Amino acid sequence: MAKLIFSLDGAFLGDFVLDKDRITIGRRPSNDIHIDNLAVSGEHAVVVTIGNDSFLEDMDSSNGTLVNGKPIKKHVLQHGDAIEIGRYQLKYVNEAALNKAAMGAEDFEKTMIIRPSAMKPVAPVAPDAAKMQSTNVNMSPAPASPAAAAPVPPPAAPTPPPAAAEPLGRVQVLNGPSMGKELVLNKALTTLGKPGVQVAVITKRPQGYFITHVEGQQHPVVNGAPVGVQAYPLKDHDVVEIAGVKMEFYIA
């Protein structure tokens, strides 16, 4: 599970596990991460976690929020990101995502090495024949009885056809200046909308595609009905509306 490592000028102050959908950061004692410093706003920032993904959002703080030295309004956190709030630092650690990526690369390398289609079957060589080749002696072996004949290797099993590519989700814009444009949802997380107005994310999971509200007073609308605060599963040909833009979701 992801966590934030809290420090001040390199001195460790504690860590916070991101085990809730929302983790608030600020000067008020009611925040999940309480930073009692005048440079920190009462409600300074919030971390929203959806599955294995976390987003950092600055809540219009007075002095801003930095990630890796750059000011942000909204940021998708990556393993190792350094968050700065005033003089304090919060390091985002998500070893599960890092290990998953490493395992995926390792599996890919193993597949490339032992790929069955790249291996050619080698017919077995009888021991007497191997001895004759190594000694290079010109002699004719005695006729072998049928019972002593070398067994005939079974025919090689046919190589199975390659698995079909996993179908990907897409959204096609139905109105506005970008009408007709398509977006392939080939990433684990795709952000849609207008920052400061309405923002939602579509996440790609093993169970399918889900849409989740991130920012704005209005929630995304699917087939004419607003979705709640929880991740909402998308179905083929659902019509999604975000910040006034209608899109059709479909699987191709």
Side-chain angles (χ1 to χ4, degrees):
M1 184 173 290
K3 64 181 178 179
L4 295 173
I5 298 177
F6 189 35
S7 62
L8 173 63
D9 298 330
F12 176 77
L13 300 178
D15 55 26
F16 299 87
V17 178
L18 302 181
D19 55 357
K20 300 186 344 184
D21 292 341
R22 291 173 62 88
I23 299 289
T24 58
I25 307 169
R27 192 174 71 250
R28 294 177 183 169
S30 58
N31 286 284
D32 298 296
I33 301 178
H34 176 216
I35 304 178
D36 189 10
N37 186 278
L38 292 178
V40 181
S41 298
E43 294 181 358
H44 197 102
V46 63
V47 177
V48 178
T49 299
I50 304 170
N52 290 326
D53 302 308
S54 296
F55 314 84
L56 173 68
E57 180 180 358
D58 182 83
M59 303 298 287
D60 296 323
S61 63
S62 300
N63 295 313
T65 302
L66 304 181
V67 175
N68 302 327
K70 297 181 180 179
I72 61 96
K73 173 61 180 174
K74 186 180 294 291
H75 177 77
V76 179
L77 290 169
Q78 305 292 327
H79 175 74
D81 277 352
I83 305 167
E84 297 178 49
I85 297 179
R87 295 175 52 207
Y88 294 82
Q89 297 83 41
L90 291 160
K91 184 176 181 181
Y92 177 72
V93 177
N94 190 349
E95 296 179 352
L98 187 66
N99 293 338
K100 183 178 179 181
M103 289 175 63
E106 183 181 4
D107 290 343
F108 176 76
E109 291 177 358
K110 289 181 179 178
T111 303
M112 294 299 291
I113 293 172
I114 63 173
R115 185 177 56 198
S117 60
M119 301 173 63
K120 296 181 180 180
V122 178
V125 179
D128 291 344
K131 183 177 180 181
M132 289 171 58
Q133 292 176 4
S134 62
T135 57
N136 197 24
V137 176
N138 186 13
M139 59 182 294
S140 299
S145 63
V152 178
T159 302
E166 179 184 1
L168 292 175
R170 300 169 185 261
V171 290
Q172 183 179 35
V173 180
L174 302 178
N175 65 343
S178 301
M179 184 172 61
K181 290 187 177 180
E182 291 187 353
L183 176 64
V184 180
L185 304 174
N186 56 358
K187 298 180 180 180
L189 183 150
T190 303
T191 304
L192 301 172
K194 297 178 181 179
V197 179
Q198 187 181 18
V199 176
V201 295
I202 295 179
T203 53
K204 182 177 181 290
R205 303 181 185 179
Q207 302 89 345
Y209 288 86
F210 293 76
I211 186 169
T212 307
H213 174 71
V214 175
E215 178 186 5
Q217 295 183 353
Q218 300 297 325
H219 286 209
V221 173
V222 178
N223 299 329
V227 302
V229 296
Q230 301 297 326
Y232 183 89
L234 290 173
K235 301 180 182 64
D236 198 19
H237 298 299
D238 275 351
V239 176
V240 180
E241 184 175 351
I242 302 173
V245 178
K246 290 186 177 181
M247 295 163 281
E248 180 183 4
F249 169 82
Y250 66 97
I251 302 292

